[in-house]
Amino acid sequence: MEPVNVAIIYYSATGTLHALAQAAAEGAEKAGAHVRLRKVAELAPPEAISANPAWAQHLQDTADVAEAGLDDLAWADAVLFGTPTRFGNPASQLRAFIDTTGPLWFHGKLADKVYSAFTASNTAHGGQESTLLALGNTFYHWGGVIVPPGYTDPIQFRSGNPYGTSHVTGDGPPNDVSLEAARHQARRVVATAASLKAGRAA
């Protein structure tokens, strides 16, 4: 059987979600998937970005990361979305990308794919679960198969979020627990997508 195609599509302002996305890509690749790591376009005004040196630096550091397009969604058997929380919701940059997917949705091109999500917030609890659940609302509309990490690996009892990998940015950059949780989540997504793909081919 052909390998699973996984798109990891994320928004990151200062690098936390980028690090989690890279860990997820590593986990998916080690599970045998073909992976596309894609960032969504930055929509914030230049003056807002330049007011935060870490934001401006991260934008520069990731200039070579390809931007997500609808072709990435069409290609993928599974998609992991990453976003910081913004008042308990996904960042507007990621939502803006999702809001362009109408043509794919209308033609049924987003249905039956595996979807999962990861996030980060500045404070503990700071909207992490509601952000992941909000993305779930989109996956329902698409007719997707939602695959959360649950408590399916010992790392989940250390990371503590069954909805998706999450990190508290106020504690510093993603630590080994958060990164391994992202790898596990991606491996689980790949395994589920591979089973579905094999079943459809049978």
Side-chain angles (χ1 to χ4, degrees), residues 2 14 16-17 19 27 35 43 45 58 61 64-65 67 71 78 91 98 107 110 142 148 158 161 191 195:
E2 292 184 1
T14 59
T16 300
L17 267 296
V35 177
L43 305 177
H58 180 65
D61 291 344
D64 61 339
V65 178
E67 285 191 0
D71 61 308
I98 288 173
H107 292 286
L110 299 176
W142 287 351
R158 299 178 65 193
N161 192 336
S195 295

